[in-house]
Amino acid sequence: MKKVQYIFGALALITIPNWVQAQTQAKDTTLSRTVVVEQEYNPDIIDASKVNVLPKVMPPTVSKKTVEYDATLAPAGNIPATTMEAYTGAESQDKAKRGYARLGYGNYGNLDARANYLFILPNSDKLNLNFHMNGMDGKLDLPDSKDKWDARYYRTHAGMDYVHAFRKMDLNVAGNFGLSNFNFMPGSTNNKQKFLSGDVHFGIKSTSEELPLQFHAETNLMFYERQHDIQYQDAQEVMVRTKAGAMGTISEEQFVGVDLSMDNAFYKNNLFEDYTSVELNPYYLYQSEDWKIRLGAHVDLAFGFGKKFRVAPDVTAQYIFSDSYILYAQATGGRQANDFRRLEMISPYGQSSTQLDATYEQLNAALGFKTSPVTGLWFNLYGGYQDLKNNLASAAIANYSGSYLQLLQGNMHNIYAGAEVSYSYKDIISFTASGVYRDWKTAKTENNSGDWLLYYMPSFEANFKVDIRPVSPVLINLGYQHVTREKIGDKRVDPVGNLYLGGSYEVFEGISIYVRANNLLNKDYQYYWGYPTEGINFMGGVSFRF
């Protein structure tokens, strides 16, 4: 199997594309293009992401108004940070500087290194190179103890993305390579962990409206290795993930289509079963000046491990009136594979001695209202109900050799209500304030014994962030994240309370210095069960656009 690792290492200069969708501008200027680059590469704030990864309400963002440029700079990513999308840009941004690099260092040994370059080749082909590495190495206070933990966590990613534009379709060849290397707390069953991942992507997508069908198809060969699990060494997952879809036109306002996705998973060096899962998503789409309606369903089948047949709705509707007032409703769902990649995202410190079935969102029903009374200002109110089968949770387990976090599953549902307000004015100021309340319940068991799975589920989440550019070379970021967990009996995990501040200053054209600080209130909180976060921490560095 080492040969497979070498193959992925050789393909480490490829990354799966996540296209940056620039908003339509009435006038393309050098300033607006520069801001797009800064928006994509503004230093992300460690610890400023949501704690739990849950299926989200997807409110519409369309408007009959002319969309004004939005310079919102959203901090993202606690360690391990989610991969930042590679900057590919649109052709209208060709005159913008295509290269970016930055390097920073902080008081907990925090490292922040990133480099990216976009090549515009003949025939409008694009080649994007990307590398980043972040992490920390410092002593953290152990919960309920005077002892210290010499914590270490580094994550590295390298990739490349190539797009060739044919006359009526695009060909995309991409892939990436990743490495996460970290240690566990003292007293854990294992003292260290290493995740190795890589993937190769081939895809085509139609680009011409003259074709009778709009289509897309892709295949992805994905490799992942967990080096030190509780019962296994070098457990490996190889997955072939295939996606395809086609949509045809009935009339100017009506469309029909079907999407297909299939996973073929194979395991080695553990006792996990191979499996194949297939999802069909047929749908009908109606779009007019005032209405957008989608009527569809998710039909999910699995063979091998997790052999099941499931069906969930895929229905959304929105009505636009008075130019910028939107009423919307949704009833959606679907399957979320709990592959090795998702396990790391949910809890990198979590381990599983048994194979985990896919999480299935049986229903996510919501009603909402969104409005923009003034250009650049948005209000959004929504509420709904969510039903999750086999949702992931973690628990602290102790055995004869030490302790560890066990990843477990349970059926859960919640009623939620939320609100959001945002405002942006060109690239001068933007702010967002949001909050969502959830009332979680587990499937009824004797003595409500399953309630402990909710210890780290968020009952209330609030986020506030503001970005100000008082003068052209200066950018200031300020934000606060609060997460309250569910109360089980008379116990509740301490809430997250992260106040962060950052800023950058362009010393010379294309050369900036930046600083950022997190947990300014020096709160003791945990994103993962029992694992402390850094106290007041800061980082400074320099960035280049070329």
Side-chain angles (χ1 to χ4, degrees), residues 1 45 51 89 101 104 112 137 168 182 188 195 229 270-271 276 313 334 353-354 382 437 439 443 447 481 503:
M1 201 61 175
I45 304 295
V51 173
D112 173 40
D137 187 353
K168 294 185 178 181
F182 59 97
S188 298
F195 298 144
D229 268 353
N270 56 20
L271 299 179
T276 296
S353 56
T354 59
Y382 60 90
Y437 166 80
D439 183 17
N447 300 323
Q481 178 198 27

Side-chain angles (χ1 to χ4, degrees), residues 253-468:
E253 297 179 336
Q254 300 181 79
F255 310 86
V256 291
V258 61
D259 290 328
L260 166 71
S261 63
M262 180 171 65
D263 287 350
N264 295 279
F266 308 94
Y267 293 92
K268 184 178 179 181
N269 299 336
N270 56 20
L271 299 179
F272 290 5
E273 296 181 43
D274 301 343
Y275 70 86
T276 296
S277 66
V278 180
E279 178 190 359
L280 288 172
N281 179 213
Y283 61 90
Y284 164 82
L285 187 62
Y286 174 81
Q287 296 182 102
S288 68
E289 187 76 5
D290 301 317
W291 284 94
K292 183 176 181 180
I293 300 173
R294 180 185 174 104
L295 303 175
H298 293 281
V299 182
D300 297 276
L301 304 92
F303 308 93
F305 176 76
K307 181 180 179 181
K308 288 182 181 177
F309 173 78
R310 299 181 177 100
V311 178
D314 178 26
V315 178
T316 58
Q318 66 181 53
Y319 174 64
I320 307 173
F321 59 96
S322 299
D323 290 342
S324 59
Y325 295 86
I326 304 173
L327 290 172
Y328 62 92
Q330 72 172 43
T332 60
R335 182 179 186 275
Q336 175 64 66
N338 287 319
D339 54 18
F340 284 176
R341 282 172 171 78
R342 187 162 191 256
L343 298 189
E344 179 184 2
M345 182 173 60
I346 296 296
S347 176
Y349 300 103
Q351 301 187 59
S352 178
S353 56
T354 59
Q355 192 170 359
L356 298 172
D357 197 0
T359 296
Y360 201 79
E361 186 180 50
Q362 191 63 59
L363 178 64
N364 191 339
L367 293 172
F369 172 71
K370 194 170 186 180
T371 180
S372 177
V374 179
T375 301
L377 179 65
W378 279 97
F379 294 97
N380 184 22
L381 300 172
Y382 60 90
Y385 170 81
Q386 184 183 43
D387 183 14
L388 297 166
K389 308 298 184 185
N390 295 320
N391 196 34
L392 285 180
S394 61
I397 306 294
N399 60 18
Y400 65 91
S401 61
S403 61
Y404 64 97
L405 287 185
Q406 174 75 52
L407 289 173
L408 301 171
Q409 294 186 295
N411 296 340
M412 307 176 186
H413 58 270
N414 68 89
I415 298 174
Y416 59 85
E420 180 178 0
V421 57
S422 63
Y423 176 75
S424 63
Y425 179 70
K426 296 183 178 179
D427 62 333
I428 298 175
I429 184 172
S430 66
F431 77 85
T432 300
S434 63
V436 59
Y437 166 80
R438 293 179 184 268
D439 183 17
W440 287 93
K441 302 293 183 183
T442 57
K444 288 187 177 181
T445 58
E446 186 177 354
N447 300 323
N448 294 323
S449 58
D451 286 352
W452 58 271
L453 290 172
L454 302 178
Y455 265 121
Y456 273 73
M457 288 296 170
S459 61
F460 177 72
E461 297 176 86
N463 281 276
F464 172 81
K465 56 178 177 283
V466 59
D467 305 290
I468 304 173

Side-chain angles (χ1 to χ4, degrees), residues 7-18 83 86 127-131 157-163 172-178 197-203 219-223 341:
I7 292 173
F8 281 105
L11 293 167
L13 298 178
I14 308 177
T15 186
I16 288 180
N18 289 308
T83 302
L127 175 64
N128 193 80
L129 304 179
N130 178 273
F131 169 85
H157 173 270
M160 187 179 99
D161 173 358
Y162 171 73
V163 177
N172 180 219
V173 180
N176 63 31
F177 174 85
S197 63
D199 52 72
V200 182
H201 163 91
F202 300 92
T219 185
N220 306 273
L221 176 60
M222 309 166 68
F223 171 82
R341 282 172 171 78

